[in-house]
Amino acid sequence: MNGQGAAAALLGAGVVLALLVIRTAVREMKEPGSARHEWTFLRERRGLVTFLATASVLSAVSWTISGPAYLPWVGLAALLVARVSSKER
């Protein structure tokens, strides 16, 4: 792993996270209260357990394959998996 790989991964994951936050803000302006509903999955037990389990598995795989360079993407992927799994109920 080199320093540039970690910086690129952090920047890319930051951009995607910023897009999610902007999308939430735009929806909140159109429909007040929607942001609280959209991010509620992090307060629920199922969403939190899904997030932590996904992050643990993906972190182990990512660390084994590429080192810590892509851990920001692991966090983002775990966030998206938890979000989708809580909406499926």
Side-chain angles (χ1 to χ4, degrees):
M1 177 191 84
N2 59 17
Q4 293 174 343
L10 188 58
L11 180 62
V15 167
V16 173
L17 185 60
L19 288 172
L20 287 173
V21 170
I22 290 169
R23 187 180 113 208
T24 300
V26 169
R27 283 186 180 174
E28 180 69 21
M29 286 189 295
K30 290 180 181 178
E31 183 182 334
S34 64
R36 182 180 301 217
H37 179 69
E38 190 171 340
W39 292 93
T40 303
F41 71 94
L42 288 176
R43 293 189 192 126
E44 297 172 353
R45 171 173 263 168
R46 178 180 177 173
L48 189 58
V49 168
T50 305
F51 173 76
L52 293 174
T54 305
S56 298
V57 171
L58 290 177
S59 294
V61 171
S62 174
W63 195 281
T64 303
I65 294 173
S66 64
Y70 294 100
L71 289 180
W73 285 106
V74 166
L76 187 61
L79 181 73
L80 294 174
V81 167
R83 188 173 177 177
V84 169
S85 73
S86 69
K87 286 185 179 183
E88 290 178 351
R89 297 193 272 150

